[in-house]
Amino acid sequence: MADSIMSKAATMEIPINSNGDTGTLPEDDSLEQAANLQWSLDEQVGSSRGTRDLQQVMVSGPNLNETSIVSGGYGGTAEGIISTSSIKGSNMHHSSSSSSSMTAEEASRGVAVEKIETVKKWGLNTYKCTKQMISERFGRGSRTVDLELEAQIEVLRDTKKKYENVLRLARALTNHFYNMVQTQHALGDTFADLSQKSPELRDEFGYNAETQKLLCKNGETLLGAVNFFVSSINTLVNKTMEDSLMTIKMYEGARLEFDAYRSDLEELSLGPKDAVAMARIDAAQQQYQVQKDKYERLRSDVIIKLKFLEENKVKVMHKQLLLFHNAISAYFAGNQQQLEQTLKQFNIKLRPPGADKPSWLEEQ
């Protein structure tokens, strides 16, 4: 009986409570009870044998560093045993994952805050500009005016409209004249065919066929000159002038923002001068200075672009108007040599006969 009790005490598990202290088992209170039981048995069966058995229990007892938690109670299967080492590893992994999650969450929170601040600034700026625009339209707000620069801007817009009209008419002339040249070419071919089939009118049809072919050739030369004129005007209107107008649009937007923040600063300056108000005035002063620098920079850009645009416009139009005049005059005067010389003067090359690449006439 003593052997059976000692064997049971030697194989039992010691559960660990939440504080790391040893707890009690439902069947055996502790190793101390086993020791007490052994001590009472020693008095009955002899001290020497009891002492050896007690030492065996203490030696073969559980190691606290390798203690396992039994979920199924004493004598349960191995499936219910969870190693404390795996619990420690799981806790470390969970701590690392929690730290990574916190870092990602903080980064996401920082991006969200940045976006909110950007939207807030945009909304405040839009509100100020809208308020300024409405005030100007109803005559209640003041605006910064540069009379000389605004006069130049108005001249540019008016000039662009007139040049667009010239471009539209020149394209219409090109289309009409192209149709006429194609008609002359078809008429010349018809005259040549009739000259072969009508012996009694061979000479008359032959003269007209040669005349139409010559007019067709000169017409193609004139079309080359007019097309070059149209291309240059299109570049001037839709690229050079449009680029200047885009800069002017940015300048006008900067002017509106500048006046909006200027009005805001003036309103704050007329209010109370407590600590909170002074802080708002300082912030408004900084924003005002930023908008002023932007306004002055774009104003300078507009002045420079308008100056270069005027110089470029005079240079381009002087050349193109001379080309247009000389080509039209030579064509209607029937001066083929002067017409060809005009194209050479302006480095205009026509498509050679039989070329596979479609001509500009076909691309219209």
Side-chain angles (χ1 to χ4, degrees):
M1 178 178 179
D3 293 339
S4 174
I5 294 174
M6 295 306 300
S7 176
K8 183 177 182 181
T11 58
M12 66 174 143
E13 298 286 344
I14 302 177
I16 300 177
N17 59 20
S18 59
N19 294 325
D21 298 330
T22 57
T24 59
L25 291 175
E27 298 182 5
D28 300 289
D29 292 336
S30 63
L31 288 176
E32 185 178 358
Q33 294 179 359
N36 291 333
L37 179 60
Q38 178 62 34
W39 180 77
S40 61
L41 291 175
D42 285 343
E43 294 180 350
Q44 300 176 6
V45 298
S47 59
S48 60
R49 181 179 177 182
T51 302
R52 288 196 302 269
D53 291 340
L54 180 60
Q55 290 177 352
Q56 182 180 359
V57 170
M58 299 303 296
V59 172
S60 62
N63 187 358
L64 294 179
N65 294 330
E66 298 178 356
T67 304
S68 301
I69 300 174
V70 181
S71 61
Y74 181 79
T77 61
E79 294 179 355
I81 300 177
I82 304 175
S83 175
T84 55
S85 61
S86 64
I87 296 177
K88 293 180 181 180
S90 176
N91 290 335
M92 293 178 62
H93 178 71
H94 178 70
S95 177
S96 177
S97 300
S98 300
S99 177
S100 301
S101 299
M102 289 296 294
T103 303
E105 183 179 355
E106 291 176 357
S108 301
R109 186 178 302 172
V111 173
V113 171
E114 184 178 355
K115 290 182 178 180
I116 292 174
E117 288 296 327
T118 302
V119 173
K120 182 179 178 181
K121 291 180 180 179
W122 174 84
L124 181 60
N125 184 73
T126 303
Y127 166 75
K128 292 180 181 294
C129 293
T130 304
K131 179 182 177 182
Q132 177 66 23
M133 185 184 301
I134 294 175
S135 299
E136 291 178 3
R137 289 185 178 181
F138 285 94
R140 293 194 299 264
S142 61
R143 64 186 298 266
T144 303
V145 180
D146 189 332
L147 296 177
E148 182 179 359
L149 182 58
E150 291 192 1
Q152 294 178 3
I153 292 173
E154 289 300 320
V155 169
L156 172 59
R157 286 172 173 160
D158 183 65
T159 301
K160 185 173 183 291
K161 291 180 181 179
K162 293 178 179 178
Y163 275 51
E164 286 175 342
N165 189 42
V166 171
L167 180 61
R168 180 180 60 82
L169 295 174
R171 283 173 171 169
L173 176 64
T174 303
N175 292 331
H176 295 323
F177 201 77
Y178 171 75
N179 292 330
M180 187 185 75
V181 169
Q182 294 300 311
T183 302
Q184 288 176 338
H185 182 75
L187 187 60
D189 291 342
T190 303
F191 284 157
D193 183 64
L194 289 173
S195 176
Q196 298 294 328
K197 297 180 179 179
S198 302
E200 66 281 4
L201 297 174
R202 177 177 300 174
D203 294 338
E204 290 78 0
F205 278 126
Y207 296 151
N208 282 278
E210 291 297 329
T211 301
Q212 294 300 320
K213 288 181 180 180
L214 179 60
L215 291 174
C216 182
K217 180 180 178 181
N218 292 341
E220 291 179 349
T221 305
L222 177 61
L223 281 172
V226 174
N227 181 72
F228 186 77
F229 174 81
V230 169
S231 177
S232 300
I233 300 298
N234 179 66
T235 301
L236 178 63
V237 172
N238 294 322
K239 291 186 179 180
T240 309
M241 290 185 178
E242 187 64 28
D243 178 70
S244 298
L245 289 175
M246 288 296 296
T247 305
I248 290 172
K249 185 177 180 181
M250 295 171 60
Y251 157 75
E252 291 175 343
R255 196 278 310 164
L256 182 63
E257 290 181 350
F258 167 69
D259 284 337
Y261 282 91
R262 176 182 56 80
S263 300
D264 186 50
L265 179 60
E266 291 175 355
E267 291 179 2
L268 291 175
S269 300
L270 297 176
K273 297 297 187 296
D274 56 3
V276 177
M278 292 303 297
R280 294 180 62 186
I281 291 175
D282 292 339
Q285 180 68 38
Q286 294 177 0
Q287 291 295 329
Y288 166 79
Q289 189 61 41
V290 171
Q291 297 300 329
K292 182 180 179 181
D293 294 341
K294 180 181 178 181
Y295 165 75
E296 293 292 343
R297 183 179 68 254
L298 287 172
R299 178 177 176 273
S300 177
D301 292 345
V302 170
I303 293 175
I304 294 174
K305 284 200 172 186
L306 289 177
K307 179 181 178 180
F308 282 110
L309 174 62
E310 184 65 21
E311 295 176 356
N312 187 42
K313 182 192 70 174
V314 172
K315 181 179 179 180
V316 170
M317 292 308 299
H318 175 76
K319 176 181 178 180
Q320 296 303 318
L321 291 173
L322 183 62
L323 165 67
F324 191 81
H325 173 269
N326 292 345
I328 292 292
S329 300
Y331 174 80
F332 285 100
N335 192 338
Q336 180 180 0
Q337 183 178 0
Q338 183 181 354
L339 183 60
E340 294 176 353
Q341 185 64 30
T342 300
L343 266 67
K344 291 180 181 180
Q345 178 183 355
F346 293 95
N347 298 321
I348 302 174
K349 296 180 180 180
L350 299 178
R351 183 174 66 93
D356 295 332
K357 183 179 178 181
S359 67
W360 57 270
L361 294 174
E362 298 172 350
E363 296 175 353
Q364 293 294 327

